[in-house]
Amino acid sequence: MQRKDKQYLIITIIIFFIWSLSIYCLIYIPYRGHMEQLKSNFLKNEQQITALQNFAAQHDNMEDFQVRLQQQKQYWQDKLPDTANDTKFITEIQTAATKDNISLLSIEPLDTVNSSDPYSSHLIKIKIAADYFSLLLFLRDLNELPRYNIIKKMTVNKQTALLQTDLLLQIYFLQKDTPSTDNNIQ
């Protein structure tokens, strides 16, 4: 082999090395990243399909699922109505008081507490007189009323055999300017 042949061989090897390196840097590395992204998307899609298949398997009968969903929706609409009407709730308080042998001294609706949330609340001041166990039953019944309420303040004073109790009750409702989240389920 002559010197010129060695130079051609070395130049050919160098050119082949440069060509291989450029193919690796310009084609393989970018496409490898793209392939990994496609693989990641594929795995994510597979997980979503599996979740949908599991959902479909758990809810074979969509009509039953829709009925349960409608019942839950109605439950929360009762707990958090879209009107500020207190009369029905006050009637329910009076019914619970009568049932639990509570002497209802007064019920006084107070101001509305506005908030930036999609709901607002009313304060209701209640004065009652009852024995200890009737008071506990009444508090339990207040908690079980269909409308969401919280006792903000409770003051109990003992007078003779009865406890005179002042309650500050907060009841919640959706604001009227809030867009409805009603999803039509058919």
Side-chain angles (χ1 to χ4, degrees), residues 100-102 128-140 154 156-165:
D100 296 330
N101 296 324
I102 299 286
I128 57 174
D131 63 62
Y132 177 75
F133 294 106
S134 295
L135 178 61
L136 290 179
L137 288 173
F138 179 70
L139 292 175
R140 185 199 67 206
M154 181 172 160
V156 180
N157 296 319
K158 183 177 188 255
Q159 297 203 353
T160 64
L162 297 178
L163 299 174
Q164 187 166 359
T165 307

Short mmCIF file of all heavy atoms in Angstrom, two decimals, residues 100-102 128-140 154 156-165:
data_model
loop_
_atom_site.label_atom_id
_atom_site.label_comp_id
_atom_site.label_asym_id
_atom_site.label_seq_id
_atom_site.Cartn_x
_atom_site.Cartn_y
_atom_site.Cartn_z
N ASP A 100 -89.23 16.88 69.40
CA ASP A 100 -88.30 16.63 70.51
C ASP A 100 -88.74 17.26 71.83
O ASP A 100 -87.96 17.32 72.78
CB ASP A 100 -86.91 17.15 70.14
CG ASP A 100 -86.32 16.40 68.96
OD1 ASP A 100 -86.62 15.21 68.80
OD2 ASP A 100 -85.55 17.02 68.19
N ASN A 101 -90.00 17.73 71.90
CA ASN A 101 -90.54 18.35 73.12
C ASN A 101 -89.71 19.56 73.55
O ASN A 101 -89.37 19.70 74.72
CB ASN A 101 -90.66 17.34 74.27
CG ASN A 101 -91.64 16.25 73.95
OD1 ASN A 101 -92.66 16.50 73.30
ND2 ASN A 101 -91.34 15.04 74.38
N ILE A 102 -89.39 20.40 72.60
CA ILE A 102 -88.62 21.61 72.85
C ILE A 102 -89.58 22.79 72.86
O ILE A 102 -90.45 22.90 72.00
CB ILE A 102 -87.56 21.83 71.74
CG1 ILE A 102 -86.58 20.67 71.66
CG2 ILE A 102 -86.85 23.16 71.89
CD1 ILE A 102 -85.58 20.63 72.76
N ILE A 128 -84.48 28.57 72.64
CA ILE A 128 -85.27 27.41 73.03
C ILE A 128 -85.10 27.15 74.52
O ILE A 128 -84.13 27.59 75.14
CB ILE A 128 -84.88 26.15 72.23
CG1 ILE A 128 -83.39 25.83 72.39
CG2 ILE A 128 -85.23 26.29 70.77
CD1 ILE A 128 -82.97 24.52 71.75
N ALA A 129 -86.04 26.40 75.07
CA ALA A 129 -85.96 25.93 76.45
C ALA A 129 -86.27 24.45 76.44
O ALA A 129 -87.29 24.03 75.87
CB ALA A 129 -86.93 26.70 77.34
N ALA A 130 -85.39 23.65 77.05
CA ALA A 130 -85.58 22.20 77.03
C ALA A 130 -84.70 21.57 78.09
O ALA A 130 -83.75 22.18 78.60
CB ALA A 130 -85.21 21.65 75.66
N ASP A 131 -85.01 20.31 78.40
CA ASP A 131 -84.11 19.57 79.28
C ASP A 131 -82.90 19.10 78.47
O ASP A 131 -82.87 19.21 77.24
CB ASP A 131 -84.84 18.40 79.96
CG ASP A 131 -85.33 17.36 78.97
OD1 ASP A 131 -84.49 16.75 78.27
OD2 ASP A 131 -86.56 17.17 78.88
N TYR A 132 -81.93 18.55 79.16
CA TYR A 132 -80.64 18.22 78.53
C TYR A 132 -80.80 17.23 77.38
O TYR A 132 -80.28 17.45 76.28
CB TYR A 132 -79.71 17.65 79.60
CG TYR A 132 -78.37 17.20 79.07
CD1 TYR A 132 -77.40 18.12 78.71
CD2 TYR A 132 -78.09 15.85 78.90
CE1 TYR A 132 -76.18 17.72 78.20
CE2 TYR A 132 -76.87 15.44 78.39
CZ TYR A 132 -75.92 16.37 78.05
OH TYR A 132 -74.71 15.97 77.56
N PHE A 133 -81.54 16.14 77.59
CA PHE A 133 -81.64 15.10 76.57
C PHE A 133 -82.49 15.55 75.38
O PHE A 133 -82.20 15.22 74.23
CB PHE A 133 -82.18 13.81 77.18
CG PHE A 133 -81.22 13.21 78.17
CD1 PHE A 133 -81.46 13.28 79.54
CD2 PHE A 133 -80.05 12.61 77.73
CE1 PHE A 133 -80.55 12.74 80.44
CE2 PHE A 133 -79.14 12.07 78.62
CZ PHE A 133 -79.39 12.15 79.98
N SER A 134 -83.52 16.34 75.64
CA SER A 134 -84.31 16.89 74.53
C SER A 134 -83.46 17.84 73.69
O SER A 134 -83.58 17.89 72.47
CB SER A 134 -85.54 17.63 75.06
OG SER A 134 -86.40 16.73 75.70
N LEU A 135 -82.61 18.62 74.36
CA LEU A 135 -81.71 19.52 73.64
C LEU A 135 -80.76 18.73 72.74
O LEU A 135 -80.54 19.10 71.58
CB LEU A 135 -80.92 20.38 74.62
CG LEU A 135 -79.90 21.34 74.02
CD1 LEU A 135 -80.58 22.35 73.11
CD2 LEU A 135 -79.11 22.04 75.10
N LEU A 136 -80.23 17.64 73.24
CA LEU A 136 -79.34 16.80 72.42
C LEU A 136 -80.08 16.23 71.21
O LEU A 136 -79.55 16.21 70.09
CB LEU A 136 -78.74 15.68 73.26
CG LEU A 136 -77.72 16.08 74.32
CD1 LEU A 136 -77.24 14.87 75.09
CD2 LEU A 136 -76.55 16.81 73.69
N LEU A 137 -81.32 15.76 71.43
CA LEU A 137 -82.11 15.24 70.32
C LEU A 137 -82.39 16.33 69.29
O LEU A 137 -82.31 16.10 68.07
CB LEU A 137 -83.44 14.66 70.83
CG LEU A 137 -83.36 13.34 71.58
CD1 LEU A 137 -84.71 12.98 72.17
CD2 LEU A 137 -82.87 12.24 70.67
N PHE A 138 -82.69 17.53 69.76
CA PHE A 138 -82.96 18.64 68.86
C PHE A 138 -81.72 19.00 68.04
O PHE A 138 -81.81 19.24 66.84
CB PHE A 138 -83.45 19.86 69.66
CG PHE A 138 -83.72 21.06 68.82
CD1 PHE A 138 -84.79 21.08 67.94
CD2 PHE A 138 -82.91 22.18 68.89
CE1 PHE A 138 -85.06 22.20 67.16
CE2 PHE A 138 -83.17 23.30 68.12
CZ PHE A 138 -84.24 23.31 67.25
N LEU A 139 -80.55 19.01 68.70
CA LEU A 139 -79.31 19.32 67.96
C LEU A 139 -79.03 18.25 66.91
O LEU A 139 -78.58 18.56 65.80
CB LEU A 139 -78.14 19.45 68.94
CG LEU A 139 -78.19 20.67 69.87
CD1 LEU A 139 -77.04 20.62 70.86
CD2 LEU A 139 -78.18 21.96 69.08
N ARG A 140 -79.29 17.00 67.25
CA ARG A 140 -79.12 15.93 66.27
C ARG A 140 -80.08 16.12 65.09
O ARG A 140 -79.70 15.99 63.93
CB ARG A 140 -79.34 14.57 66.91
CG ARG A 140 -79.03 13.42 65.94
CD ARG A 140 -79.64 12.11 66.32
NE ARG A 140 -81.09 12.28 66.19
CZ ARG A 140 -81.98 11.59 66.87
NH1 ARG A 140 -81.61 10.69 67.73
NH2 ARG A 140 -83.27 11.78 66.70
N MET A 154 -73.44 28.96 70.32
CA MET A 154 -74.44 28.32 71.18
C MET A 154 -74.18 28.75 72.62
O MET A 154 -73.07 28.59 73.12
CB MET A 154 -74.35 26.80 71.04
CG MET A 154 -75.34 26.05 71.86
SD MET A 154 -75.25 24.31 71.41
CE MET A 154 -76.00 23.59 72.82
N VAL A 156 -75.76 28.31 76.50
CA VAL A 156 -76.69 27.54 77.32
C VAL A 156 -76.68 28.10 78.74
O VAL A 156 -75.63 28.23 79.36
CB VAL A 156 -76.30 26.04 77.34
CG1 VAL A 156 -77.26 25.23 78.19
CG2 VAL A 156 -76.22 25.48 75.93
N ASN A 157 -77.88 28.41 79.24
CA ASN A 157 -78.05 28.89 80.61
C ASN A 157 -79.04 27.97 81.31
O ASN A 157 -80.08 27.61 80.74
CB ASN A 157 -78.60 30.33 80.65
CG ASN A 157 -77.62 31.31 80.04
OD1 ASN A 157 -76.43 31.21 80.27
ND2 ASN A 157 -78.13 32.24 79.24
N LYS A 158 -78.74 27.63 82.57
CA LYS A 158 -79.63 26.76 83.34
C LYS A 158 -80.64 27.63 84.06
O LYS A 158 -80.28 28.55 84.79
CB LYS A 158 -78.83 25.92 84.33
CG LYS A 158 -79.69 24.96 85.09
CD LYS A 158 -78.87 24.11 86.01
CE LYS A 158 -79.74 23.04 86.61
NZ LYS A 158 -80.10 23.27 87.95
N GLN A 159 -81.91 27.31 83.85
CA GLN A 159 -82.99 27.98 84.57
C GLN A 159 -83.94 26.90 85.04
O GLN A 159 -84.51 26.18 84.24
CB GLN A 159 -83.72 28.96 83.66
CG GLN A 159 -82.82 30.06 83.19
CD GLN A 159 -83.62 31.28 82.79
OE1 GLN A 159 -84.83 31.24 82.74
NE2 GLN A 159 -82.92 32.36 82.55
N THR A 160 -84.09 26.78 86.35
CA THR A 160 -84.88 25.72 86.99
C THR A 160 -84.44 24.38 86.44
O THR A 160 -83.26 24.06 86.44
CB THR A 160 -86.39 25.97 86.83
OG1 THR A 160 -86.75 25.91 85.48
CG2 THR A 160 -86.80 27.28 87.46
N ALA A 161 -85.38 23.60 85.95
CA ALA A 161 -85.04 22.26 85.44
C ALA A 161 -84.74 22.29 83.94
O ALA A 161 -84.40 21.27 83.36
CB ALA A 161 -86.18 21.30 85.72
N LEU A 162 -84.88 23.46 83.32
CA LEU A 162 -84.69 23.56 81.88
C LEU A 162 -83.42 24.32 81.54
O LEU A 162 -82.97 25.17 82.30
CB LEU A 162 -85.88 24.26 81.24
CG LEU A 162 -87.23 23.56 81.35
CD1 LEU A 162 -88.32 24.42 80.71
CD2 LEU A 162 -87.20 22.19 80.73
N LEU A 163 -82.91 24.03 80.38
CA LEU A 163 -81.77 24.77 79.85
C LEU A 163 -82.30 25.76 78.82
O LEU A 163 -83.00 25.38 77.89
CB LEU A 163 -80.78 23.81 79.17
CG LEU A 163 -80.15 22.74 80.05
CD1 LEU A 163 -79.33 21.78 79.19
CD2 LEU A 163 -79.30 23.35 81.12
N GLN A 164 -82.01 27.02 79.03
CA GLN A 164 -82.39 28.02 78.04
C GLN A 164 -81.19 28.20 77.11
O GLN A 164 -80.10 28.56 77.54
CB GLN A 164 -82.77 29.34 78.70
CG GLN A 164 -83.33 30.32 77.71
CD GLN A 164 -84.01 31.49 78.37
OE1 GLN A 164 -84.09 31.57 79.58
NE2 GLN A 164 -84.51 32.40 77.57
N THR A 165 -81.42 27.96 75.83
CA THR A 165 -80.34 27.91 74.86
C THR A 165 -80.57 28.94 73.75
O THR A 165 -81.67 29.04 73.21
CB THR A 165 -80.24 26.50 74.23
OG1 THR A 165 -80.15 25.54 75.28
CG2 THR A 165 -79.03 26.38 73.34
#
